[in-house]
Amino acid sequence: MQKQDICCIKCGKFLLTEQKDDQNRIRCVAGSYENGFYDEFQDEFFCLECAKKEGYEV
Ligand SMILES: [Zn+2]
Protein backbone atom coordinates (compact mmCIF):
# COMPACT_ATOMS: atom_id res chain seq x y z
CA MET A 1 0.00 0.00 0.00
CA GLN A 2 1.39 3.32 -1.04
CA LYS A 3 1.82 6.04 1.55
CA GLN A 4 2.75 9.61 0.90
CA ASP A 5 3.53 12.43 3.27
CA ILE A 6 2.26 15.78 2.11
CA CYS A 7 4.31 18.74 3.23
CA CYS A 8 4.19 22.44 2.52
CA ILE A 9 6.29 23.07 -0.59
CA LYS A 10 7.48 26.37 0.84
CA CYS A 11 8.55 25.61 4.39
CA GLY A 12 8.39 21.82 4.51
CA LYS A 13 5.89 21.70 7.36
CA PHE A 14 4.14 18.32 7.59
CA LEU A 15 0.46 18.56 6.69
CA LEU A 16 -0.95 15.08 6.22
CA THR A 17 -0.33 11.54 5.07
CA GLU A 18 -2.23 10.02 2.18
CA GLN A 19 -2.59 6.30 1.59
CA LYS A 20 -4.20 4.36 -1.22
CA ASP A 21 -6.71 1.72 -0.16
CA ASP A 22 -7.58 -1.56 -1.92
CA GLN A 23 -9.82 0.24 -4.39
CA ASN A 24 -7.04 2.69 -5.20
CA ARG A 25 -8.87 5.49 -3.47
CA ILE A 26 -6.70 8.04 -1.74
CA ARG A 27 -7.52 8.70 1.85
CA CYS A 28 -5.99 10.76 4.59
CA VAL A 29 -4.52 8.58 7.35
CA ALA A 30 -2.76 11.26 9.42
CA GLY A 31 -3.13 14.98 9.81
CA SER A 32 -5.87 16.78 7.93
CA TYR A 33 -6.51 18.50 4.63
CA GLU A 34 -7.60 21.45 6.74
CA ASN A 35 -3.99 21.89 7.87
CA GLY A 36 -3.08 23.09 4.46
CA PHE A 37 -4.16 24.67 1.24
CA TYR A 38 -4.14 22.79 -2.06
CA ASP A 39 -3.61 24.60 -5.34
CA GLU A 40 -5.29 22.25 -7.78
CA PHE A 41 -3.89 24.06 -10.82
CA GLN A 42 -0.27 23.83 -9.71
CA ASP A 43 -0.84 20.56 -7.80
CA GLU A 44 0.93 22.03 -4.81
CA PHE A 45 0.22 21.99 -1.09
CA PHE A 46 0.94 24.90 1.19
CA CYS A 47 0.53 25.26 4.93
CA LEU A 48 -1.99 27.96 5.79
CA GLU A 49 0.66 30.50 6.74
CA CYS A 50 2.56 30.12 3.47
CA ALA A 51 -0.66 30.08 1.46
CA LYS A 52 -1.53 33.46 2.95
CA LYS A 53 1.94 34.78 2.18
CA GLU A 54 1.55 33.57 -1.41
CA GLY A 55 -1.67 35.55 -1.66
CA TYR A 56 -4.16 32.67 -1.62
CA GLU A 57 -7.48 33.12 0.10
CA VAL A 58 -7.56 30.49 2.80
ZN1 LIG B 1 4.60 26.52 4.82
Side-chain angles (χ1 to χ4, degrees):
M1 215 83 56
Q2 212 180 326
K3 241 188 198 179
Q4 188 186 10
D5 285 342
I6 308 277
C7 299
C8 172
I9 64 148
K10 281 279 166 188
C11 70
K13 183 181 166 189
F14 171 78
L15 300 174
L16 60 116
T17 303
E18 286 180 335
Q19 186 172 28
K20 281 192 179 164
D21 67 13
D22 304 337
Q23 276 86 46
N24 229 26
R25 285 175 306 211
I26 292 174
R27 60 193 190 95
C28 178
V29 293
S32 167
Y33 286 104
E34 282 160 27
N35 293 343
F37 174 80
Y38 178 60
D39 182 336
E40 59 199 19
F41 300 107
Q42 308 286 338
D43 190 28
E44 290 172 339
F45 269 98
F46 299 89
C47 69
L48 293 179
E49 293 89 80
C50 291
K52 275 181 209 156
K53 280 184 212 156
E54 292 294 306
Y56 292 105
E57 288 200 25
V58 294

Coordinates of all heavy atoms in Angstrom, one line a residue:
M1 N 0.9 -1.2 0.0 CA 0.0 0.0 0.0 C 0.9 1.3 0.0 O 1.8 1.3 0.8 CB -0.9 0.0 1.2 CG -2.3 0.6 1.0 SD -3.5 -0.5 0.3 CE -3.5 -1.9 1.4
Q2 N 0.6 2.2 -0.9 CA 1.4 3.3 -1.0 C 1.0 4.4 -0.1 O -0.1 4.8 0.1 CB 1.2 3.8 -2.5 CG 2.4 4.5 -3.0 CD 2.2 4.9 -4.5 OE1 1.4 4.3 -5.2 NE2 2.8 6.0 -4.8
K3 N 2.0 5.0 0.6 CA 1.8 6.0 1.6 C 2.6 7.2 1.1 O 3.7 7.1 0.6 CB 2.3 5.6 2.9 CG 1.3 5.6 4.0 CD 1.9 5.3 5.3 CE 0.9 4.9 6.3 NZ 1.6 4.6 7.6
Q4 N 2.1 8.4 1.3 CA 2.7 9.6 0.9 C 2.5 10.7 1.9 O 1.4 11.1 2.2 CB 2.2 10.0 -0.5 CG 3.0 11.2 -1.1 CD 2.3 11.6 -2.4 OE1 1.2 11.3 -2.7 NE2 3.0 12.5 -3.1
D5 N 3.6 11.3 2.4 CA 3.5 12.4 3.3 C 3.4 13.7 2.4 O 4.1 13.9 1.5 CB 4.8 12.5 4.1 CG 4.8 11.5 5.3 OD1 3.7 11.0 5.6 OD2 5.8 11.3 5.8
I6 N 2.4 14.5 2.8 CA 2.3 15.8 2.1 C 2.8 16.9 3.0 O 2.4 17.0 4.2 CB 0.8 16.1 1.8 CG1 0.1 14.9 1.1 CG2 0.6 17.3 1.0 CD1 0.3 14.8 -0.4
C7 N 3.7 17.6 2.5 CA 4.3 18.7 3.2 C 4.2 20.0 2.4 O 4.0 20.0 1.2 CB 5.8 18.5 3.5 SG 6.1 17.0 4.5
C8 N 4.2 21.1 3.2 CA 4.2 22.4 2.5 C 5.4 22.6 1.6 O 6.5 22.3 2.0 CB 4.2 23.5 3.6 SG 4.4 25.2 2.9
I9 N 5.2 23.0 0.3 CA 6.3 23.1 -0.6 C 7.2 24.3 -0.3 O 8.3 24.4 -0.8 CB 5.8 23.1 -2.1 CG1 5.0 24.4 -2.3 CG2 5.0 21.9 -2.4 CD1 5.2 24.9 -3.8
K10 N 6.7 25.2 0.5 CA 7.5 26.4 0.8 C 8.4 26.1 2.1 O 9.6 26.4 2.0 CB 6.5 27.6 1.1 CG 6.0 28.2 -0.1 CD 7.0 29.2 -0.7 CE 6.6 29.6 -2.1 NZ 7.7 30.3 -2.8
C11 N 7.8 25.7 3.1 CA 8.6 25.6 4.4 C 8.8 24.2 4.8 O 9.5 23.9 5.8 CB 7.9 26.4 5.5 SG 6.3 25.7 6.1
G12 N 8.1 23.2 4.2 CA 8.4 21.8 4.5 C 7.6 21.3 5.7 O 7.8 20.2 6.1
K13 N 6.7 22.1 6.2 CA 5.9 21.7 7.4 C 5.0 20.5 7.0 O 4.4 20.5 5.9 CB 5.0 22.9 7.8 CG 4.2 22.6 9.0 CD 3.4 23.9 9.3 CE 2.2 23.6 10.3 NZ 1.3 24.7 10.5
F14 N 5.0 19.5 7.8 CA 4.1 18.3 7.6 C 2.7 18.7 7.7 O 2.2 19.3 8.6 CB 4.5 17.2 8.6 CG 3.5 16.1 8.5 CD1 3.6 15.1 7.5 CD2 2.5 16.0 9.5 CE1 2.7 14.1 7.5 CE2 1.6 14.9 9.4 CZ 1.7 14.0 8.4
L15 N 1.9 18.3 6.7 CA 0.5 18.6 6.7 C -0.4 17.3 6.9 O -1.3 17.3 7.7 CB 0.1 19.2 5.4 CG 0.8 20.5 5.0 CD1 0.4 21.0 3.7 CD2 0.5 21.6 6.1
L16 N -0.1 16.3 6.1 CA -1.0 15.1 6.2 C -0.3 13.9 5.5 O 0.7 14.1 4.8 CB -2.3 15.3 5.6 CG -2.4 15.7 4.2 CD1 -3.1 14.6 3.3 CD2 -3.1 17.0 4.0
T17 N -0.8 12.7 5.8 CA -0.3 11.5 5.1 C -1.5 10.9 4.3 O -2.6 10.8 4.8 CB 0.2 10.5 6.1 OG1 1.3 11.1 6.8 CG2 0.8 9.3 5.3
E18 N -1.2 10.7 3.0 CA -2.2 10.0 2.2 C -1.8 8.6 1.9 O -0.7 8.3 1.8 CB -2.3 10.7 0.8 CG -3.0 12.1 0.8 CD -3.1 12.7 -0.5 OE1 -2.2 12.4 -1.4 OE2 -3.9 13.5 -0.8
Q19 N -2.8 7.7 1.9 CA -2.6 6.3 1.6 C -3.7 5.8 0.6 O -4.8 6.1 0.8 CB -2.6 5.5 2.9 CG -2.2 4.1 2.7 CD -2.1 3.3 4.0 OE1 -2.7 3.7 5.0 NE2 -1.2 2.3 4.0
K20 N -3.2 5.0 -0.3 CA -4.2 4.4 -1.2 C -4.8 3.1 -0.6 O -4.0 2.3 0.0 CB -3.5 4.0 -2.5 CG -3.4 5.2 -3.4 CD -3.0 4.9 -4.8 CE -2.9 6.1 -5.7 NZ -2.1 5.9 -6.9
D21 N -6.1 2.9 -0.7 CA -6.7 1.7 -0.2 C -6.8 0.7 -1.3 O -6.3 0.9 -2.4 CB -8.1 2.0 0.5 CG -9.1 2.5 -0.5 OD1 -8.9 2.4 -1.7 OD2 -10.1 3.0 -0.1
D22 N -7.5 -0.4 -1.0 CA -7.6 -1.6 -1.9 C -8.2 -1.2 -3.2 O -7.9 -1.7 -4.3 CB -8.4 -2.7 -1.3 CG -7.9 -3.1 0.0 OD1 -6.7 -2.9 0.2 OD2 -8.6 -3.7 0.8
Q23 N -9.1 -0.2 -3.2 CA -9.8 0.2 -4.4 C -9.1 1.4 -5.1 O -9.6 2.1 -5.9 CB -11.2 0.7 -4.1 CG -12.2 -0.5 -4.0 CD -12.3 -1.1 -2.7 OE1 -12.3 -0.4 -1.6 NE2 -12.2 -2.4 -2.6
N24 N -7.9 1.6 -4.6 CA -7.0 2.7 -5.2 C -7.6 4.1 -4.9 O -7.3 5.0 -5.6 CB -6.9 2.5 -6.7 CG -5.4 2.6 -7.2 OD1 -4.5 2.3 -6.4 ND2 -5.2 2.9 -8.4
R25 N -8.4 4.2 -3.9 CA -8.9 5.5 -3.5 C -7.9 6.1 -2.5 O -7.3 5.4 -1.7 CB -10.2 5.4 -2.8 CG -11.4 5.1 -3.8 CD -12.7 4.9 -3.0 NE -12.5 3.9 -2.0 CZ -13.5 3.1 -1.6 NH1 -14.7 3.2 -2.2 NH2 -13.3 2.2 -0.7
I26 N -7.6 7.4 -2.6 CA -6.7 8.0 -1.7 C -7.5 8.5 -0.5 O -8.5 9.1 -0.6 CB -6.0 9.2 -2.5 CG1 -5.1 8.7 -3.6 CG2 -5.2 10.1 -1.5 CD1 -4.5 9.8 -4.4
R27 N -6.9 8.2 0.7 CA -7.5 8.7 1.9 C -6.4 9.2 2.8 O -5.3 8.9 2.7 CB -8.4 7.7 2.6 CG -7.7 6.5 3.0 CD -8.7 5.4 3.4 NE -7.9 4.3 4.0 CZ -7.8 4.2 5.3 NH1 -8.4 5.0 6.1 NH2 -7.1 3.2 5.9
C28 N -6.9 10.1 3.7 CA -6.0 10.8 4.6 C -5.9 9.9 5.8 O -6.9 9.6 6.5 CB -6.6 12.1 4.9 SG -5.6 13.1 6.1
V29 N -4.7 9.5 6.2 CA -4.5 8.6 7.3 C -3.9 9.3 8.5 O -3.9 8.8 9.6 CB -3.7 7.3 7.0 CG1 -4.5 6.4 6.0 CG2 -2.3 7.7 6.4
A30 N -3.3 10.5 8.3 CA -2.8 11.3 9.4 C -2.9 12.7 9.1 O -2.9 13.1 7.9 CB -1.3 10.9 9.6
G31 N -3.0 13.6 10.1 CA -3.1 15.0 9.8 C -4.5 15.3 9.2 O -5.4 14.5 9.3
S32 N -4.6 16.4 8.5 CA -5.9 16.8 7.9 C -5.7 17.7 6.7 O -4.7 18.5 6.7 CB -6.7 17.5 9.0 OG -7.8 18.2 8.4
Y33 N -6.6 17.6 5.8 CA -6.5 18.5 4.6 C -6.7 19.9 5.1 O -6.3 20.9 4.4 CB -7.6 18.1 3.6 CG -7.2 16.9 2.8 CD1 -7.8 15.7 3.1 CD2 -6.2 16.9 1.8 CE1 -7.5 14.5 2.4 CE2 -5.9 15.8 1.1 CZ -6.5 14.6 1.4 OH -6.2 13.5 0.7
E34 N -7.4 20.1 6.2 CA -7.6 21.4 6.7 C -6.3 22.1 7.3 O -6.3 23.3 7.5 CB -8.7 21.4 7.8 CG -10.1 21.3 7.2 CD -11.1 20.8 8.1 OE1 -11.0 21.0 9.3 OE2 -12.1 20.1 7.6
N35 N -5.3 21.3 7.4 CA -4.0 21.9 7.9 C -3.3 22.7 6.8 O -2.4 23.5 7.0 CB -3.0 20.8 8.3 CG -3.4 20.0 9.5 OD1 -4.3 20.5 10.2 ND2 -2.8 18.9 9.7
G36 N -3.8 22.5 5.6 CA -3.1 23.1 4.5 C -4.0 23.6 3.4 O -5.2 23.5 3.5
F37 N -3.4 24.1 2.4 CA -4.2 24.7 1.2 C -3.6 24.0 0.0 O -2.4 23.9 -0.2 CB -4.0 26.2 1.1 CG -4.6 26.8 -0.1 CD1 -6.0 27.0 -0.1 CD2 -3.8 27.0 -1.2 CE1 -6.6 27.5 -1.3 CE2 -4.4 27.6 -2.4 CZ -5.8 27.8 -2.4
Y38 N -4.5 23.5 -0.8 CA -4.1 22.8 -2.1 C -4.5 23.6 -3.3 O -5.6 24.1 -3.5 CB -4.9 21.5 -2.1 CG -4.6 20.7 -3.4 CD1 -3.3 20.3 -3.7 CD2 -5.6 20.3 -4.3 CE1 -3.0 19.6 -4.9 CE2 -5.3 19.6 -5.4 CZ -4.0 19.3 -5.7 OH -3.7 18.6 -6.9
D39 N -3.4 23.9 -4.1 CA -3.6 24.6 -5.3 C -3.8 23.5 -6.4 O -2.8 22.9 -6.8 CB -2.4 25.5 -5.6 CG -2.6 26.3 -6.9 OD1 -3.4 25.8 -7.8 OD2 -1.9 27.3 -7.1
E40 N -5.0 23.4 -6.9 CA -5.3 22.2 -7.8 C -4.7 22.5 -9.2 O -4.5 21.6 -10.0 CB -6.8 22.0 -7.9 CG -7.6 23.2 -8.3 CD -9.1 23.0 -7.9 OE1 -9.4 22.2 -7.0 OE2 -9.9 23.7 -8.5
F41 N -4.4 23.8 -9.5 CA -3.9 24.1 -10.8 C -2.4 23.8 -10.9 O -1.9 23.2 -11.8 CB -4.2 25.5 -11.2 CG -5.6 25.8 -11.2 CD1 -6.2 26.6 -10.2 CD2 -6.4 25.3 -12.2 CE1 -7.6 26.9 -10.2 CE2 -7.8 25.6 -12.3 CZ -8.4 26.4 -11.3
Q42 N -1.7 24.1 -9.8 CA -0.3 23.8 -9.7 C 0.0 22.5 -9.1 O 1.2 22.0 -9.1 CB 0.4 24.9 -8.8 CG 0.1 26.3 -9.2 CD 0.8 26.8 -10.5 OE1 1.8 26.2 -10.9 NE2 0.3 27.8 -11.2
D43 N -1.0 21.8 -8.5 CA -0.8 20.6 -7.8 C 0.2 20.7 -6.7 O 1.1 20.0 -6.6 CB -0.4 19.4 -8.8 CG -0.5 18.1 -8.1 OD1 -1.3 17.9 -7.1 OD2 0.3 17.2 -8.5
E44 N 0.0 21.7 -5.9 CA 0.9 22.0 -4.8 C 0.2 22.3 -3.5 O -0.9 22.8 -3.5 CB 1.7 23.3 -5.1 CG 2.7 23.1 -6.3 CD 3.4 24.4 -6.7 OE1 2.8 25.5 -6.5 OE2 4.4 24.3 -7.3
F45 N 0.8 21.8 -2.4 CA 0.2 22.0 -1.1 C 1.0 23.1 -0.3 O 2.3 23.0 -0.4 CB 0.3 20.7 -0.3 CG -1.0 19.9 -0.4 CD1 -1.0 18.8 -1.3 CD2 -2.1 20.1 0.3 CE1 -2.1 18.0 -1.5 CE2 -3.2 19.4 0.2 CZ -3.3 18.3 -0.7
F46 N 0.3 23.9 0.3 CA 0.9 24.9 1.2 C 0.3 24.7 2.6 O -0.8 24.4 2.7 CB 0.6 26.3 0.7 CG 1.1 26.7 -0.6 CD1 0.4 26.5 -1.7 CD2 2.4 27.2 -0.8 CE1 0.8 26.8 -3.0 CE2 2.9 27.6 -2.0 CZ 2.1 27.4 -3.2
C47 N 1.1 25.1 3.6 CA 0.5 25.3 4.9 C -0.3 26.6 4.9 O -0.1 27.4 4.0 CB 1.6 25.3 6.0 SG 2.7 26.7 6.1
L48 N -1.1 26.8 5.9 CA -2.0 28.0 5.8 C -1.2 29.3 5.8 O -1.5 30.2 5.1 CB -3.0 27.9 6.9 CG -4.0 26.8 6.8 CD1 -5.0 26.8 8.0 CD2 -4.8 26.8 5.5
E49 N -0.1 29.3 6.6 CA 0.7 30.5 6.7 C 1.3 30.9 5.4 O 1.3 32.0 5.0 CB 1.8 30.4 7.8 CG 1.3 30.2 9.2 CD 1.0 28.8 9.6 OE1 2.0 28.1 9.9 OE2 -0.1 28.3 9.5
C50 N 1.9 29.9 4.7 CA 2.6 30.1 3.5 C 1.5 30.4 2.4 O 1.8 31.3 1.5 CB 3.4 28.9 3.1 SG 4.9 28.7 4.1
A51 N 0.4 29.8 2.4 CA -0.7 30.1 1.5 C -1.1 31.5 1.5 O -1.2 32.2 0.5 CB -1.9 29.2 1.7
K52 N -1.2 32.1 2.8 CA -1.5 33.5 3.0 C -0.4 34.4 2.4 O -0.7 35.4 1.7 CB -1.7 33.8 4.4 CG -3.1 33.4 4.9 CD -3.3 33.8 6.4 CE -4.3 32.9 7.0 NZ -4.1 32.8 8.5
K53 N 0.8 34.0 2.7 CA 1.9 34.8 2.2 C 2.0 34.8 0.7 O 2.4 35.7 0.0 CB 3.3 34.2 2.7 CG 3.6 34.6 4.1 CD 5.0 34.1 4.5 CE 5.0 33.8 6.0 NZ 6.0 32.8 6.4
E54 N 1.5 33.7 0.1 CA 1.5 33.6 -1.4 C 0.3 34.3 -2.0 O 0.2 34.3 -3.2 CB 1.5 32.1 -1.8 CG 2.8 31.3 -1.5 CD 4.0 31.9 -2.3 OE1 3.9 31.9 -3.5 OE2 5.0 32.2 -1.7
G55 N -0.5 34.8 -1.2 CA -1.7 35.6 -1.7 C -2.9 34.7 -1.9 O -3.9 35.2 -2.5
Y56 N -3.0 33.5 -1.5 CA -4.2 32.7 -1.6 C -5.2 33.1 -0.6 O -4.8 33.5 0.5 CB -3.9 31.2 -1.5 CG -3.0 30.6 -2.6 CD1 -1.7 30.3 -2.3 CD2 -3.6 30.3 -3.8 CE1 -0.9 29.8 -3.4 CE2 -2.8 29.8 -4.8 CZ -1.5 29.5 -4.6 OH -0.7 29.0 -5.6
E57 N -6.4 32.9 -0.9 CA -7.5 33.1 0.1 C -7.7 31.8 0.8 O -8.2 30.9 0.2 CB -8.8 33.6 -0.6 CG -8.6 35.1 -1.0 CD -10.0 35.7 -1.3 OE1 -11.0 35.3 -0.6 OE2 -10.0 36.7 -2.0
V58 N -7.4 31.7 2.1 CA -7.6 30.5 2.8 C -8.6 30.6 3.9 O -9.0 31.7 4.2 CB -6.2 30.0 3.4 CG1 -5.3 29.7 2.3 CG2 -5.6 31.1 4.3
Ligands
ZN1 ZN 4.6 26.5 4.8

